mmCIF file of all heavy atoms in Angstrom:
data_model
loop_
_atom_site.group_PDB
_atom_site.id
_atom_site.type_symbol
_atom_site.label_atom_id
_atom_site.label_comp_id
_atom_site.label_asym_id
_atom_site.label_seq_id
_atom_site.Cartn_x
_atom_site.Cartn_y
_atom_site.Cartn_z
ATOM 1 N N VAL A 119 -27.858 112.840 -101.510
ATOM 2 C CA VAL A 119 -29.159 113.529 -101.494
ATOM 3 C C VAL A 119 -29.740 113.454 -100.156
ATOM 4 O O VAL A 119 -30.507 114.404 -99.862
ATOM 5 C CB VAL A 119 -30.058 112.735 -102.465
ATOM 6 C CG1 VAL A 119 -30.578 111.468 -102.102
ATOM 7 C CG2 VAL A 119 -31.316 113.671 -102.803
ATOM 8 N N ILE A 120 -29.574 112.416 -99.216
ATOM 9 C CA ILE A 120 -30.003 112.503 -97.954
ATOM 10 C C ILE A 120 -29.355 113.651 -97.147
ATOM 11 O O ILE A 120 -30.077 114.474 -96.398
ATOM 12 C CB ILE A 120 -29.840 111.202 -97.279
ATOM 13 C CG1 ILE A 120 -30.555 110.025 -97.888
ATOM 14 C CG2 ILE A 120 -30.058 111.200 -95.679
ATOM 15 C CD1 ILE A 120 -32.019 110.154 -97.626
ATOM 16 N N GLU A 121 -28.096 113.734 -97.169
ATOM 17 C CA GLU A 121 -27.285 114.774 -96.400
ATOM 18 C C GLU A 121 -27.747 116.104 -96.868
ATOM 19 O O GLU A 121 -27.935 116.973 -96.085
ATOM 20 C CB GLU A 121 -25.808 114.524 -96.637
ATOM 21 C CG GLU A 121 -25.314 113.385 -95.929
ATOM 22 C CD GLU A 121 -25.391 113.337 -94.370
ATOM 23 O OE1 GLU A 121 -24.965 114.370 -93.812
ATOM 24 O OE2 GLU A 121 -25.919 112.382 -93.847
ATOM 25 N N ALA A 122 -27.722 116.383 -98.202
ATOM 26 C CA ALA A 122 -28.023 117.783 -98.785
ATOM 27 C C ALA A 122 -29.514 118.218 -98.562
ATOM 28 O O ALA A 122 -29.912 119.322 -98.566
ATOM 29 C CB ALA A 122 -27.755 117.755 -100.240
ATOM 30 N N SER A 123 -30.539 117.030 -98.228
ATOM 31 C CA SER A 123 -31.847 117.437 -98.098
ATOM 32 C C SER A 123 -32.439 117.611 -96.604
ATOM 33 O O SER A 123 -33.503 118.035 -96.443
ATOM 34 C CB SER A 123 -32.761 116.351 -98.807
ATOM 35 O OG SER A 123 -32.537 116.205 -100.198
ATOM 36 N N ALA A 124 -31.463 117.253 -95.724
ATOM 37 C CA ALA A 124 -31.830 117.393 -94.352
ATOM 38 C C ALA A 124 -31.717 118.823 -93.873
ATOM 39 O O ALA A 124 -30.872 119.215 -93.067
ATOM 40 C CB ALA A 124 -30.984 116.436 -93.531
ATOM 41 N N THR A 125 -32.569 119.744 -94.447
ATOM 42 C CA THR A 125 -32.505 121.170 -94.258
ATOM 43 C C THR A 125 -33.550 121.723 -93.394
ATOM 44 O O THR A 125 -33.694 122.994 -93.188
ATOM 45 C CB THR A 125 -32.465 121.891 -95.592
ATOM 46 O OG1 THR A 125 -33.585 121.517 -96.350
ATOM 47 C CG2 THR A 125 -31.193 121.530 -96.368
ATOM 48 N N SER A 126 -34.428 120.899 -93.051
ATOM 49 C CA SER A 126 -35.564 121.540 -92.071
ATOM 50 C C SER A 126 -35.016 121.995 -90.726
ATOM 51 O O SER A 126 -34.077 121.456 -90.256
ATOM 52 C CB SER A 126 -36.657 120.469 -91.938
ATOM 53 O OG SER A 126 -36.171 119.265 -91.375
ATOM 54 N N ILE A 127 -35.732 122.883 -90.137
ATOM 55 C CA ILE A 127 -35.186 123.479 -88.814
ATOM 56 C C ILE A 127 -36.435 123.575 -87.930
ATOM 57 O O ILE A 127 -37.501 123.087 -88.206
ATOM 58 C CB ILE A 127 -34.614 124.787 -89.047
ATOM 59 C CG1 ILE A 127 -35.529 125.845 -89.620
ATOM 60 C CG2 ILE A 127 -33.247 124.658 -89.877
ATOM 61 C CD1 ILE A 127 -34.988 127.253 -89.681
ATOM 62 N N GLY A 128 -36.156 124.149 -86.770
ATOM 63 C CA GLY A 128 -37.363 124.393 -85.751
ATOM 64 C C GLY A 128 -37.553 123.280 -84.814
ATOM 65 O O GLY A 128 -36.798 122.437 -84.553
ATOM 66 N N GLU A 129 -38.773 123.455 -84.259
ATOM 67 C CA GLU A 129 -39.249 122.454 -83.336
ATOM 68 C C GLU A 129 -39.279 121.004 -84.033
ATOM 69 O O GLU A 129 -39.648 120.882 -85.132
ATOM 70 C CB GLU A 129 -40.597 122.834 -82.735
ATOM 71 C CG GLU A 129 -40.520 124.010 -81.915
ATOM 72 C CD GLU A 129 -39.828 123.736 -80.574
ATOM 73 O OE1 GLU A 129 -39.954 122.629 -79.917
ATOM 74 O OE2 GLU A 129 -38.970 124.610 -80.208
ATOM 75 N N PRO A 130 -38.806 120.046 -83.235
ATOM 76 C CA PRO A 130 -38.849 118.633 -83.923
ATOM 77 C C PRO A 130 -40.125 117.956 -83.784
ATOM 78 O O PRO A 130 -41.126 118.437 -83.063
ATOM 79 C CB PRO A 130 -37.824 117.939 -83.064
ATOM 80 C CG PRO A 130 -37.949 118.513 -81.644
ATOM 81 C CD PRO A 130 -38.272 119.960 -81.860
ATOM 82 N N TYR A 131 -40.346 116.934 -84.639
ATOM 83 C CA TYR A 131 -41.393 116.059 -84.386
ATOM 84 C C TYR A 131 -41.562 115.527 -83.123
ATOM 85 O O TYR A 131 -40.497 115.227 -82.438
ATOM 86 C CB TYR A 131 -41.342 114.889 -85.379
ATOM 87 C CG TYR A 131 -41.672 115.189 -86.826
ATOM 88 C CD1 TYR A 131 -41.012 114.441 -88.004
ATOM 89 C CD2 TYR A 131 -42.464 116.142 -87.260
ATOM 90 C CE1 TYR A 131 -41.243 114.556 -89.228
ATOM 91 C CE2 TYR A 131 -42.868 116.376 -88.717
ATOM 92 C CZ TYR A 131 -42.147 115.590 -89.658
ATOM 93 O OH TYR A 131 -42.416 115.877 -90.907
ATOM 94 N N THR A 132 -42.748 115.296 -82.632
ATOM 95 C CA THR A 132 -42.858 114.423 -81.439
ATOM 96 C C THR A 132 -42.464 112.955 -81.757
ATOM 97 O O THR A 132 -42.504 112.612 -82.944
ATOM 98 C CB THR A 132 -44.392 114.469 -80.885
ATOM 99 O OG1 THR A 132 -45.195 113.927 -81.916
ATOM 100 C CG2 THR A 132 -44.727 115.913 -80.637
ATOM 101 N N VAL A 133 -42.253 112.188 -80.753
ATOM 102 C CA VAL A 133 -42.042 110.724 -81.131
ATOM 103 C C VAL A 133 -43.157 110.128 -81.931
ATOM 104 O O VAL A 133 -42.947 109.435 -82.847
ATOM 105 C CB VAL A 133 -41.789 109.941 -79.747
ATOM 106 C CG1 VAL A 133 -41.806 108.576 -79.933
ATOM 107 C CG2 VAL A 133 -40.498 110.315 -79.116
ATOM 108 N N GLU A 134 -44.292 110.566 -81.395
ATOM 109 C CA GLU A 134 -45.559 109.973 -82.187
ATOM 110 C C GLU A 134 -45.588 110.371 -83.689
ATOM 111 O O GLU A 134 -45.909 109.566 -84.443
ATOM 112 C CB GLU A 134 -46.834 110.578 -81.493
ATOM 113 C CG GLU A 134 -48.159 110.277 -82.179
ATOM 114 C CD GLU A 134 -49.367 110.970 -81.504
ATOM 115 O OE1 GLU A 134 -49.623 110.658 -80.341
ATOM 116 O OE2 GLU A 134 -50.056 111.840 -82.112
ATOM 117 N N GLN A 135 -45.157 111.568 -83.969
ATOM 118 C CA GLN A 135 -45.160 112.138 -85.307
ATOM 119 C C GLN A 135 -44.025 111.417 -86.150
ATOM 120 O O GLN A 135 -44.215 111.006 -87.366
ATOM 121 C CB GLN A 135 -45.061 113.589 -85.415
ATOM 122 C CG GLN A 135 -46.298 114.357 -84.872
ATOM 123 C CD GLN A 135 -46.094 115.826 -84.531
ATOM 124 O OE1 GLN A 135 -44.878 116.310 -84.608
ATOM 125 N NE2 GLN A 135 -47.090 116.452 -84.149
ATOM 126 N N SER A 136 -42.894 111.325 -85.451
ATOM 127 C CA SER A 136 -41.768 110.537 -86.177
ATOM 128 C C SER A 136 -42.125 109.170 -86.499
ATOM 129 O O SER A 136 -41.884 108.626 -87.666
ATOM 130 C CB SER A 136 -40.603 110.623 -85.295
ATOM 131 O OG SER A 136 -39.479 109.911 -85.819
ATOM 132 N N ARG A 137 -42.742 108.454 -85.481
ATOM 133 C CA ARG A 137 -43.347 107.144 -85.843
ATOM 134 C C ARG A 137 -44.255 107.062 -86.857
ATOM 135 O O ARG A 137 -44.263 106.190 -87.787
ATOM 136 C CB ARG A 137 -43.969 106.536 -84.503
ATOM 137 C CG ARG A 137 -42.848 106.227 -83.541
ATOM 138 C CD ARG A 137 -43.505 105.757 -82.258
ATOM 139 N NE ARG A 137 -44.384 104.593 -82.383
ATOM 140 C CZ ARG A 137 -43.812 103.318 -82.382
ATOM 141 N NH1 ARG A 137 -42.545 103.124 -82.055
ATOM 142 N NH2 ARG A 137 -44.625 102.293 -82.481
ATOM 143 N N ALA A 138 -45.225 107.993 -87.002
ATOM 144 C CA ALA A 138 -46.191 108.094 -88.064
ATOM 145 C C ALA A 138 -45.618 108.232 -89.396
ATOM 146 O O ALA A 138 -46.076 107.578 -90.354
ATOM 147 C CB ALA A 138 -47.241 109.139 -87.722
ATOM 148 N N VAL A 139 -44.641 109.159 -89.505
ATOM 149 C CA VAL A 139 -43.937 109.286 -90.798
ATOM 150 C C VAL A 139 -43.208 107.938 -91.257
ATOM 151 O O VAL A 139 -43.338 107.511 -92.376
ATOM 152 C CB VAL A 139 -42.867 110.416 -90.816
ATOM 153 C CG1 VAL A 139 -42.226 110.433 -92.113
ATOM 154 C CG2 VAL A 139 -43.608 111.746 -90.503
ATOM 155 N N MET A 140 -42.630 107.174 -90.309
ATOM 156 C CA MET A 140 -42.096 105.890 -90.669
ATOM 157 C C MET A 140 -43.041 104.932 -91.205
ATOM 158 O O MET A 140 -42.906 104.267 -92.154
ATOM 159 C CB MET A 140 -41.251 105.326 -89.491
ATOM 160 C CG MET A 140 -40.012 106.135 -89.211
ATOM 161 S SD MET A 140 -38.799 105.230 -88.116
ATOM 162 C CE MET A 140 -39.765 105.351 -86.532
ATOM 163 N N VAL A 141 -44.345 104.924 -90.532
ATOM 164 C CA VAL A 141 -45.382 103.956 -90.982
ATOM 165 C C VAL A 141 -45.759 104.395 -92.470
ATOM 166 O O VAL A 141 -45.833 103.511 -93.377
ATOM 167 C CB VAL A 141 -46.520 104.045 -90.129
ATOM 168 C CG1 VAL A 141 -47.569 103.242 -90.610
ATOM 169 C CG2 VAL A 141 -46.090 103.593 -88.748
ATOM 170 N N ALA A 142 -45.862 105.656 -92.662
ATOM 171 C CA ALA A 142 -46.266 106.133 -94.075
ATOM 172 C C ALA A 142 -45.199 105.756 -94.994
ATOM 173 O O ALA A 142 -45.476 105.479 -96.170
ATOM 174 C CB ALA A 142 -46.622 107.619 -94.039
ATOM 175 N N VAL A 143 -43.831 105.902 -94.691
ATOM 176 C CA VAL A 143 -42.891 105.429 -95.597
ATOM 177 C C VAL A 143 -42.931 103.965 -95.843
ATOM 178 O O VAL A 143 -42.709 103.621 -97.056
ATOM 179 C CB VAL A 143 -41.445 105.940 -95.013
ATOM 180 C CG1 VAL A 143 -40.270 105.225 -95.784
ATOM 181 C CG2 VAL A 143 -41.190 107.400 -94.878
ATOM 182 N N LEU A 144 -43.052 103.201 -94.860
ATOM 183 C CA LEU A 144 -43.181 101.758 -94.948
ATOM 184 C C LEU A 144 -44.420 101.294 -96.018
ATOM 185 O O LEU A 144 -44.272 100.528 -96.869
ATOM 186 C CB LEU A 144 -43.371 101.107 -93.811
ATOM 187 C CG LEU A 144 -42.171 101.024 -92.724
ATOM 188 C CD1 LEU A 144 -42.622 100.332 -91.572
ATOM 189 C CD2 LEU A 144 -41.102 100.428 -93.421
ATOM 190 N N GLN A 145 -45.540 102.214 -95.860
ATOM 191 C CA GLN A 145 -46.571 101.906 -96.911
ATOM 192 C C GLN A 145 -46.184 102.313 -98.325
ATOM 193 O O GLN A 145 -46.537 101.648 -99.157
ATOM 194 C CB GLN A 145 -47.888 102.604 -96.335
ATOM 195 C CG GLN A 145 -48.552 101.870 -95.147
ATOM 196 C CD GLN A 145 -49.205 100.699 -95.682
ATOM 197 O OE1 GLN A 145 -48.707 99.558 -95.466
ATOM 198 N NE2 GLN A 145 -50.516 100.782 -96.275
ATOM 199 N N ASN A 146 -45.660 103.479 -98.365
ATOM 200 C CA ASN A 146 -45.280 103.978 -99.745
ATOM 201 C C ASN A 146 -44.244 103.131 -100.419
ATOM 202 O O ASN A 146 -44.480 102.613 -101.486
ATOM 203 C CB ASN A 146 -44.658 105.525 -99.543
ATOM 204 C CG ASN A 146 -44.218 106.027 -100.750
ATOM 205 O OD1 ASN A 146 -44.541 105.571 -101.892
ATOM 206 N ND2 ASN A 146 -43.444 107.028 -100.600
ATOM 207 N N LEU A 147 -43.193 102.736 -99.706
ATOM 208 C CA LEU A 147 -42.083 102.041 -100.428
ATOM 209 C C LEU A 147 -42.247 100.512 -100.405
ATOM 210 O O LEU A 147 -41.585 99.694 -101.106
ATOM 211 C CB LEU A 147 -40.704 102.377 -99.642
ATOM 212 C CG LEU A 147 -40.437 103.795 -99.525
ATOM 213 C CD1 LEU A 147 -38.981 103.944 -99.079
ATOM 214 C CD2 LEU A 147 -40.596 104.565 -101.008
ATOM 215 N N GLY A 148 -43.154 100.120 -99.515
ATOM 216 C CA GLY A 148 -43.685 98.635 -99.545
ATOM 217 C C GLY A 148 -44.744 98.397 -100.422
ATOM 218 O O GLY A 148 -45.251 97.079 -100.494
ATOM 219 N N SER A 149 -45.127 99.220 -101.235
ATOM 220 C CA SER A 149 -46.243 98.955 -102.322
ATOM 221 C C SER A 149 -45.879 98.108 -103.416
ATOM 222 O O SER A 149 -46.601 97.487 -104.113
ATOM 223 C CB SER A 149 -46.676 100.357 -102.813
ATOM 224 O OG SER A 149 -45.566 100.919 -103.472
ATOM 225 N N GLY A 150 -44.561 97.951 -103.466
ATOM 226 C CA GLY A 150 -44.032 97.104 -104.659
ATOM 227 C C GLY A 150 -43.712 97.862 -105.959
ATOM 228 O O GLY A 150 -43.475 97.161 -106.961
ATOM 229 N N TYR A 151 -43.815 99.186 -105.799
ATOM 230 C CA TYR A 151 -43.521 100.050 -107.046
ATOM 231 C C TYR A 151 -42.355 100.974 -106.779
ATOM 232 O O TYR A 151 -42.198 101.949 -107.539
ATOM 233 C CB TYR A 151 -44.881 100.739 -107.367
ATOM 234 C CG TYR A 151 -46.015 99.955 -107.703
ATOM 235 C CD1 TYR A 151 -46.996 99.786 -106.669
ATOM 236 C CD2 TYR A 151 -46.051 99.124 -108.919
ATOM 237 C CE1 TYR A 151 -48.182 99.048 -106.972
ATOM 238 C CE2 TYR A 151 -47.259 98.382 -109.164
ATOM 239 C CZ TYR A 151 -48.159 98.280 -108.143
ATOM 240 O OH TYR A 151 -49.262 97.465 -108.335
ATOM 241 N N SER A 152 -41.522 100.667 -105.702
ATOM 242 C CA SER A 152 -40.482 101.649 -105.356
ATOM 243 C C SER A 152 -39.099 101.119 -105.770
ATOM 244 O O SER A 152 -38.374 101.825 -106.323
ATOM 245 C CB SER A 152 -40.491 101.906 -103.912
ATOM 246 O OG SER A 152 -39.681 102.924 -103.565
ATOM 247 N N GLY A 153 -38.759 99.835 -105.330
ATOM 248 C CA GLY A 153 -37.546 99.304 -105.679
ATOM 249 C C GLY A 153 -36.453 99.489 -104.795
ATOM 250 O O GLY A 153 -35.303 99.243 -105.004
ATOM 251 N N VAL A 154 -36.741 99.727 -103.405
ATOM 252 C CA VAL A 154 -35.762 99.737 -102.345
ATOM 253 C C VAL A 154 -35.623 98.264 -101.927
ATOM 254 O O VAL A 154 -36.406 97.381 -102.107
ATOM 255 C CB VAL A 154 -36.126 100.707 -101.299
ATOM 256 C CG1 VAL A 154 -36.299 102.085 -101.796
ATOM 257 C CG2 VAL A 154 -37.433 100.165 -100.513
ATOM 258 N N ARG A 155 -34.463 98.022 -101.246
ATOM 259 C CA ARG A 155 -34.231 96.735 -100.599
ATOM 260 C C ARG A 155 -35.142 96.486 -99.369
ATOM 261 O O ARG A 155 -35.401 97.511 -98.633
ATOM 262 C CB ARG A 155 -32.799 96.644 -100.160
ATOM 263 C CG ARG A 155 -31.858 96.358 -101.327
ATOM 264 C CD ARG A 155 -30.481 96.457 -100.764
ATOM 265 N NE ARG A 155 -30.141 97.695 -100.079
ATOM 266 C CZ ARG A 155 -29.359 97.874 -99.094
ATOM 267 N NH1 ARG A 155 -28.634 96.824 -98.583
ATOM 268 N NH2 ARG A 155 -29.140 99.018 -98.588
ATOM 269 N N LEU A 156 -35.510 95.208 -99.180
ATOM 270 C CA LEU A 156 -36.372 94.898 -98.036
ATOM 271 C C LEU A 156 -35.585 95.201 -96.671
ATOM 272 O O LEU A 156 -36.205 95.710 -95.754
ATOM 273 C CB LEU A 156 -36.738 93.428 -98.053
ATOM 274 C CG LEU A 156 -37.540 92.933 -96.919
ATOM 275 C CD1 LEU A 156 -38.948 93.656 -96.932
ATOM 276 C CD2 LEU A 156 -37.798 91.523 -96.938
ATOM 277 N N GLU A 157 -34.234 95.246 -96.780
ATOM 278 C CA GLU A 157 -33.425 95.425 -95.596
ATOM 279 C C GLU A 157 -33.682 96.743 -95.043
ATOM 280 O O GLU A 157 -33.649 97.138 -93.794
ATOM 281 C CB GLU A 157 -31.936 95.256 -95.796
ATOM 282 C CG GLU A 157 -31.549 93.739 -96.097
ATOM 283 C CD GLU A 157 -31.625 93.313 -97.492
ATOM 284 O OE1 GLU A 157 -32.544 93.907 -98.228
ATOM 285 O OE2 GLU A 157 -30.855 92.487 -98.003
ATOM 286 N N VAL A 158 -33.804 97.802 -96.018
ATOM 287 C CA VAL A 158 -34.093 99.196 -95.562
ATOM 288 C C VAL A 158 -35.373 99.360 -94.803
ATOM 289 O O VAL A 158 -35.441 100.023 -93.763
ATOM 290 C CB VAL A 158 -34.051 100.054 -96.832
ATOM 291 C CG1 VAL A 158 -34.385 101.486 -96.415
ATOM 292 C CG2 VAL A 158 -32.700 99.999 -97.491
ATOM 293 N N LEU A 159 -36.397 98.718 -95.352
ATOM 294 C CA LEU A 159 -37.735 98.708 -94.774
ATOM 295 C C LEU A 159 -37.730 98.028 -93.410
ATOM 296 O O LEU A 159 -38.466 98.418 -92.382
ATOM 297 C CB LEU A 159 -38.744 98.294 -95.752
ATOM 298 C CG LEU A 159 -38.910 98.916 -97.043
ATOM 299 C CD1 LEU A 159 -39.914 98.333 -97.975
ATOM 300 C CD2 LEU A 159 -38.923 100.408 -96.911
ATOM 301 N N GLU A 160 -37.000 96.949 -93.355
ATOM 302 C CA GLU A 160 -36.888 96.165 -92.051
ATOM 303 C C GLU A 160 -36.236 97.125 -90.948
ATOM 304 O O GLU A 160 -36.695 96.952 -89.806
ATOM 305 C CB GLU A 160 -36.036 94.973 -92.343
ATOM 306 C CG GLU A 160 -36.771 93.808 -92.939
ATOM 307 C CD GLU A 160 -37.722 93.098 -92.097
ATOM 308 O OE1 GLU A 160 -38.045 93.506 -90.970
ATOM 309 O OE2 GLU A 160 -38.289 92.097 -92.530
ATOM 310 N N MET A 161 -35.380 97.995 -91.342
ATOM 311 C CA MET A 161 -34.776 98.844 -90.357
ATOM 312 C C MET A 161 -35.886 99.844 -89.763
ATOM 313 O O MET A 161 -35.942 99.934 -88.372
ATOM 314 C CB MET A 161 -33.691 99.762 -90.949
ATOM 315 C CG MET A 161 -32.325 98.964 -91.162
ATOM 316 S SD MET A 161 -31.654 98.600 -89.373
ATOM 317 C CE MET A 161 -30.755 100.212 -89.124
ATOM 318 N N TYR A 162 -36.639 100.403 -90.498
ATOM 319 C CA TYR A 162 -37.803 101.173 -90.024
ATOM 320 C C TYR A 162 -38.827 100.416 -89.118
ATOM 321 O O TYR A 162 -39.212 100.937 -88.162
ATOM 322 C CB TYR A 162 -38.429 101.962 -91.055
ATOM 323 C CG TYR A 162 -37.969 103.162 -91.511
ATOM 324 C CD1 TYR A 162 -38.485 104.046 -92.542
ATOM 325 C CD2 TYR A 162 -36.855 103.812 -90.839
ATOM 326 C CE1 TYR A 162 -37.870 105.326 -93.004
ATOM 327 C CE2 TYR A 162 -36.324 105.066 -91.055
ATOM 328 C CZ TYR A 162 -36.801 105.800 -92.223
ATOM 329 O OH TYR A 162 -36.300 107.045 -92.565
ATOM 330 N N ARG A 163 -38.958 99.167 -89.624
ATOM 331 C CA ARG A 163 -39.967 98.247 -88.864
ATOM 332 C C ARG A 163 -39.266 98.027 -87.536
ATOM 333 O O ARG A 163 -39.920 98.042 -86.413
ATOM 334 C CB ARG A 163 -40.127 97.101 -89.627
ATOM 335 C CG ARG A 163 -41.178 96.161 -88.985
ATOM 336 C CD ARG A 163 -41.500 94.793 -89.743
ATOM 337 N NE ARG A 163 -40.373 93.921 -89.575
ATOM 338 C CZ ARG A 163 -40.205 93.029 -88.610
ATOM 339 N NH1 ARG A 163 -41.122 93.011 -87.682
ATOM 340 N NH2 ARG A 163 -39.124 92.252 -88.411
ATOM 341 N N GLU A 164 -37.966 97.657 -87.540
ATOM 342 C CA GLU A 164 -37.315 97.484 -86.218
ATOM 343 C C GLU A 164 -37.325 98.747 -85.308
ATOM 344 O O GLU A 164 -37.443 98.718 -84.114
ATOM 345 C CB GLU A 164 -35.867 97.022 -86.530
ATOM 346 C CG GLU A 164 -35.805 95.600 -87.058
ATOM 347 C CD GLU A 164 -36.250 94.607 -86.095
ATOM 348 O OE1 GLU A 164 -36.470 94.802 -84.896
ATOM 349 O OE2 GLU A 164 -36.534 93.351 -86.599
ATOM 350 N N PHE A 165 -37.112 99.853 -86.052
ATOM 351 C CA PHE A 165 -37.155 101.130 -85.156
ATOM 352 C C PHE A 165 -38.616 101.149 -84.389
ATOM 353 O O PHE A 165 -38.613 101.552 -83.173
ATOM 354 C CB PHE A 165 -37.172 102.438 -86.101
ATOM 355 C CG PHE A 165 -35.721 102.708 -86.670
ATOM 356 C CD1 PHE A 165 -34.763 101.835 -86.271
ATOM 357 C CD2 PHE A 165 -35.551 103.739 -87.437
ATOM 358 C CE1 PHE A 165 -33.374 102.061 -86.882
ATOM 359 C CE2 PHE A 165 -34.372 104.116 -87.929
ATOM 360 C CZ PHE A 165 -33.257 103.285 -87.701
ATOM 361 N N LEU A 166 -39.695 100.894 -85.127
ATOM 362 C CA LEU A 166 -40.920 101.030 -84.583
ATOM 363 C C LEU A 166 -41.204 100.036 -83.469
ATOM 364 O O LEU A 166 -41.828 100.235 -82.423
ATOM 365 C CB LEU A 166 -41.970 100.893 -85.606
ATOM 366 C CG LEU A 166 -42.076 101.965 -86.656
ATOM 367 C CD1 LEU A 166 -42.948 101.552 -88.022
ATOM 368 C CD2 LEU A 166 -42.752 103.161 -86.069
ATOM 369 N N ASN A 167 -40.718 98.871 -83.689
ATOM 370 C CA ASN A 167 -40.902 97.875 -82.663
ATOM 371 C C ASN A 167 -39.964 97.822 -81.513
ATOM 372 O O ASN A 167 -40.328 97.258 -80.409
ATOM 373 C CB ASN A 167 -40.896 96.314 -83.360
ATOM 374 C CG ASN A 167 -41.963 96.056 -84.303
ATOM 375 O OD1 ASN A 167 -43.002 96.888 -84.271
ATOM 376 N ND2 ASN A 167 -41.817 95.193 -85.221
ATOM 377 N N ARG A 168 -38.897 98.416 -81.545
ATOM 378 C CA ARG A 168 -37.857 98.490 -80.531
ATOM 379 C C ARG A 168 -37.825 99.856 -79.807
ATOM 380 O O ARG A 168 -36.990 100.089 -78.976
ATOM 381 C CB ARG A 168 -36.524 98.286 -81.101
ATOM 382 C CG ARG A 168 -36.335 96.761 -81.680
ATOM 383 C CD ARG A 168 -34.969 96.361 -81.891
ATOM 384 N NE ARG A 168 -34.827 95.180 -82.694
ATOM 385 C CZ ARG A 168 -33.800 94.430 -82.734
ATOM 386 N NH1 ARG A 168 -32.765 94.750 -82.039
ATOM 387 N NH2 ARG A 168 -33.734 93.231 -83.502
ATOM 388 N N GLY A 169 -38.841 100.852 -80.075
ATOM 389 C CA GLY A 169 -38.870 102.047 -79.376
ATOM 390 C C GLY A 169 -37.977 103.054 -79.803
ATOM 391 O O GLY A 169 -37.380 103.855 -78.994
ATOM 392 N N LEU A 170 -37.474 103.108 -81.136
ATOM 393 C CA LEU A 170 -36.567 104.105 -81.633
ATOM 394 C C LEU A 170 -37.364 105.016 -82.512
ATOM 395 O O LEU A 170 -38.182 104.655 -83.332
ATOM 396 C CB LEU A 170 -35.461 103.524 -82.507
ATOM 397 C CG LEU A 170 -34.390 102.538 -81.953
ATOM 398 C CD1 LEU A 170 -33.818 101.544 -82.891
ATOM 399 C CD2 LEU A 170 -33.406 103.542 -81.311
#
Side-chain angles (χ1 to χ4, degrees):
V119 75
I120 294 290
E121 293 292 310
S123 297
T125 57
S126 58
I127 61 172
E129 290 296 313
Y131 284 151
T132 63
V133 168
E134 173 183 297
Q135 291 164 355
S136 177
R137 289 174 61 84
V139 176
M140 286 193 288
V141 178
V143 170
L144 291 179
Q145 280 293 97
N146 176 18
L147 305 189
S149 61
Y151 303 104
S152 185
V154 304
R155 289 172 298 152
L156 183 62
E157 293 90 326
V158 175
L159 304 184
E160 286 283 7
M161 280 291 281
Y162 271 176
R163 187 180 75 85
E164 292 292 349
F165 286 5
L166 292 165
N167 290 344
R168 299 191 190 202
L170 289 159

